[in-house]
Each structure stands twice: as structure tokens, then as C-alpha cells.
Amino acid sequence: MAKYAMFFSYTSETWARLLDHPEDRAAVARHVAESAGGTLETIYWMLGDRDGLAIVDAPDSVTAAAVSLAVTSSGAFKHNETRELLTQDQLTAALTRARQLTAEFRPPGQGG
């Protein structure tokens, strides 16, 4: 399974509802991830321009996008950003492949 980082920020209305009715949002996120065939590894809450970060394992990028779209469409978020995470082995494979492709790429304005 692929691993994704999902950065998010709630709307002020969502925070107001949580203040009135505190609840375990990790349980909800875990349920959504499992319903999509994935797993929730963890959620971290943050200070700054983002409220939290969820690490999710998903079968593929379409599934990760579906989870992101489903939660974003709720209107509870003012920001939701999903990034695929690569292991060192995956990065090494990508670098090896990129080295092979560099001969095929011509930068703009260099003729050809």
C-alpha cells in the first residue's frame, strides 16, 4: 500500500462545534480510511497554518483522492492537502529512472 500525508485545517465553524461537543476525530478518520480499503496510521494536531496531519495507507492514489474528496466535500475543512510519501527505496528507484530519462528531455528554448 502507498502512504499519504493529509494536511488539513478546520473551518472556524467546525472548531466551534468541536468546542461544544468534543469527540475523538481519529476514530472517525480511521473508519473512513478503513471503509476505503486503507488504514489510518496516526493523526497529529499542530499549531500554525495547518491544524493537523493524518498519515494514511491507501491501496492507490485514486483511493487516497477519493478519501480526500469525501472529507473535503463535507464543508468542515478550509484546507485539505494530500501528498504521497516515498520510502528511501522508492526515491532511489525514481532517481535511477530519472537518470535514464534525462537524455530524453530537452529544456525549453534549446532547439531540437
Side-chain angles (χ1 to χ4, degrees), residues 102-112:
T102 56
E104 304 302 322
F105 179 74
R106 179 187 51 80
Q110 291 193 355

Side-chain angles (χ1 to χ4, degrees), residues 6-71:
M6 296 180 166
F7 297 90
F8 61 90
S9 295
Y10 287 139
T11 65
S12 57
E13 294 83 10
T14 300
W15 279 119
R17 287 193 303 271
L18 285 169
L19 285 172
D20 288 340
H21 304 284
E23 63 177 311
D24 181 1
R25 297 308 299 169
V28 175
R30 184 171 292 104
H31 174 73
V32 171
E34 290 173 357
S35 295
T39 57
L40 172 69
E41 183 176 308
T42 192
I43 287 185
Y44 289 103
W45 299 95
M46 306 183 315
L47 303 175
D49 65 338
R50 299 292 173 252
D51 295 329
L53 162 69
I55 305 295
V56 175
D57 292 316
D60 51 51
S61 58
V62 171
T63 302
V67 169
S68 180
L69 290 167
V71 300

